[in-house]
Amino acid sequence: MKLKRFLLRYYPPGIILEYEKGGYLRTKSIDLLDLTPKTNPDELVAEIRRSEALITESRADQVKQLIIRLQEKQGQQDHHKFCFFKELKAHILPLTNVAFDKSGSRFITGSYDRTCRVWDTASRTELHALEGHRNVVYAIAFNNPYGDKIATGSFDKTCKLWCAETGKCFYTFRGHAAEIVCLAFNPQSTLVATGSMDATAKLWDVETGEEVATLTGHTAEVLSVCFNTVGNQLVTGSFDHTVAIWDVASGRRVHTLIGHSGEISNVQFNWDCSLIVTGSMDKTCKVCFSPQGSRVLTASSDKTARLWDVQSGVCLQVLAGHTDEIFSCAFNYEGDTIITGSKDNTCRIWY
């Protein structure tokens, strides 16, 4: 085995190792869930070296510096106020979704014009147009923290896997009987989960393009999917008013969460998997946690996005400016930038 590079994961804290084995590029993660700003980096490096053969003496200082960066991130206070930065006329038809890569240097937009477009955040330059779907591109995602692949889900009942660097299509996943409206990569970037109007979710192998499992049990459309940070559980939200938690390895439903009086539109784990946030047609909305887990961002048909404190439930900020319903909202990986996508055909970036 030969170590190629490190990837830093801020939330939950960890270091991802990319290495070569048998001619194939593989990854494994060192989870540092108990890391605090008071943890001794030298003692932690020594502990990691005892259990991980890829971390040799020559790499020890590099690992120490990565641990220090993680500790610095943990010590930062989450009092950021967001200001409107720029607006981008991204598509000729309304947007359906927006997403950042890990660094926030690129973002993607999906649209009713049947395309997904890749953009440079700083220059607002279009890098790629991912074309090939035969209907609305409704669900999109980068495989963060790697950022080298993009998945798109469409009303044409297919999901496509793309190279983020070249725009080449690797695979087209076929198997759903109705429109695909949500998708997510697992943290290891080995699986893609898709949710569909056919009331099922499916798991797909990123390397082979094959279907791995079909998750059945909802009685209406599956509108949202999200993996936990370990990748061993998947949460799904449905128009049947329920949220289901699934064991990924077996495909078995382990919990059903009941409480909303309307259709579930969005679900997400926080980074330590202690909370799940849900949005619904019962007057809540599109939702996502900040990477730190201390804030929730909501987007609504009232043309605004709102930032909320998780502990108190207080609204901290209203992001206004769109002229029509906001379909999608997302934080960048560090939590200091927000992007919103609207039916007004624009996306807005907030720093």
Side-chain angles (χ1 to χ4, degrees):
M1 294 191 296
K2 182 180 179 183
L3 182 62
K4 304 293 286 185
R5 63 170 176 162
F6 295 106
L7 293 165
L8 202 56
R9 188 185 68 202
Y10 288 122
Y11 309 106
I15 299 169
I16 295 170
L17 312 180
E18 194 172 82
Y19 64 99
E20 192 176 275
K21 182 179 180 181
Y24 293 96
L25 206 57
R26 304 180 185 276
T27 61
K28 63 168 72 173
S29 61
I30 300 173
D31 297 321
L32 304 175
L33 304 183
D34 297 324
L35 181 72
T36 71
K38 295 182 179 180
T39 301
N40 185 308
D42 291 304
E43 292 179 0
L44 185 53
V45 170
E47 182 182 329
I48 291 170
R49 285 196 60 202
R50 284 194 292 271
S51 59
E52 180 49 68
L54 285 169
I55 308 301
T56 59
E57 185 176 353
S58 63
R59 295 282 193 168
D61 189 61
Q62 194 175 355
V63 172
K64 179 181 176 180
Q65 295 307 312
L66 292 174
I67 291 169
I68 291 171
R69 281 178 60 187
L70 290 171
Q71 290 175 309
E72 290 171 349
K73 177 61 69 173
Q74 288 183 323
Q76 291 178 2
Q77 297 298 308
D78 191 14
H79 300 309
H80 189 83
K81 275 282 186 182
F82 292 90
C83 299
F84 171 65
F85 175 58
K86 61 180 68 170
E87 181 179 88
L88 181 66
K89 188 81 171 177
H91 295 265
I92 58 173
L93 292 176
L95 274 71
T96 57
N97 233 315
V98 290
F100 277 112
D101 70 354
K102 178 191 171 184
S103 67
S105 61
R106 295 173 300 170
F107 67 93
I108 50 178
T109 56
S111 171
Y112 277 82
D113 67 9
R114 305 182 181 187
T115 71
C116 172
R117 297 179 188 272
V118 187
W119 305 87
D120 180 90
T121 305
S123 68
R124 294 180 287 179
T125 304
E126 181 183 312
L127 303 176
H128 300 291
L130 308 182
E131 300 175 333
H133 282 295
R134 293 180 287 108
N135 210 324
V136 175
V137 174
Y138 200 78
I140 56 176
F142 273 104
N143 66 330
N144 292 331
Y146 307 99
D148 61 343
K149 294 182 180 68
I150 294 167
T152 57
S154 171
F155 282 7
D156 67 9
K157 309 176 189 177
T158 72
C159 173
K160 290 180 181 287
L161 185 69
W162 310 80
C163 174
E165 307 303 325
T166 65
K168 175 187 175 183
C169 182
F170 292 128
Y171 294 113
T172 298
F173 304 142
R174 293 183 173 90
H176 279 293
E179 296 92 333
I180 293 175
V181 290
C182 55
L183 58 80
F185 283 96
N186 70 340
Q188 296 80 18
S189 191
T190 56
L191 294 173
V192 172
T194 54
S196 169
M197 303 292 272
D198 65 11
T200 72
K202 289 180 182 286
L203 301 177
W204 309 86
D205 189 293
V206 168
E207 190 170 335
T208 65
E210 298 296 321
E211 181 181 324
V212 175
T214 298
L215 311 182
T216 58
H218 282 297
T219 57
E221 297 91 330
V222 175
L223 265 290
S224 186
V225 293
C226 180
F227 284 97
N228 67 353
T229 48
V230 181
N232 64 343
Q233 289 187 326
L234 182 79
V235 62
T236 57
S238 170
F239 265 25
D240 64 11
H241 304 189
T242 71
V243 173
I245 302 174
W246 308 80
D247 176 71
V248 170
S250 66
R252 185 173 59 89
R253 181 164 55 175
V254 293
H255 295 293
T256 301
L257 310 181
I258 300 171
H260 280 290
S261 59
E263 296 89 342
I264 306 293
S265 59
N266 203 208
V267 292
Q268 191 179 19
F269 282 101
N270 69 338
W271 70 266
D272 67 358
C273 304
S274 61
L275 296 171
I276 293 172
V277 66
T278 59
S280 169
M281 304 299 186
D282 60 10
K283 298 187 179 178
T284 51
C285 39
K286 188 82 172 183
V287 293
C288 64
F289 275 108
S290 66
Q292 297 90 337
S294 58
R295 303 285 184 264
V296 166
L297 179 65
T298 62
S300 172
S301 57
D302 69 3
K303 308 174 189 177
T304 71
R306 294 172 188 257
L307 193 67
W308 307 81
D309 181 81
V310 169
Q311 295 300 320
S312 67
V314 171
C315 180
L316 303 174
Q317 194 174 352
V318 178
L319 307 180
H322 281 294
T323 59
D324 209 332
E325 177 179 354
I326 300 178
F327 283 131
S328 183
C329 59
F331 285 96
N332 71 336
Y333 194 73
E334 295 199 22
D336 58 8
T337 305
I338 287 169
I339 187 168
T340 54
S342 169
K343 194 176 177 181
D344 65 12
N345 298 11
T346 71
C347 56
R348 293 170 73 91
I349 298 171
W350 314 77
Y351 280 156

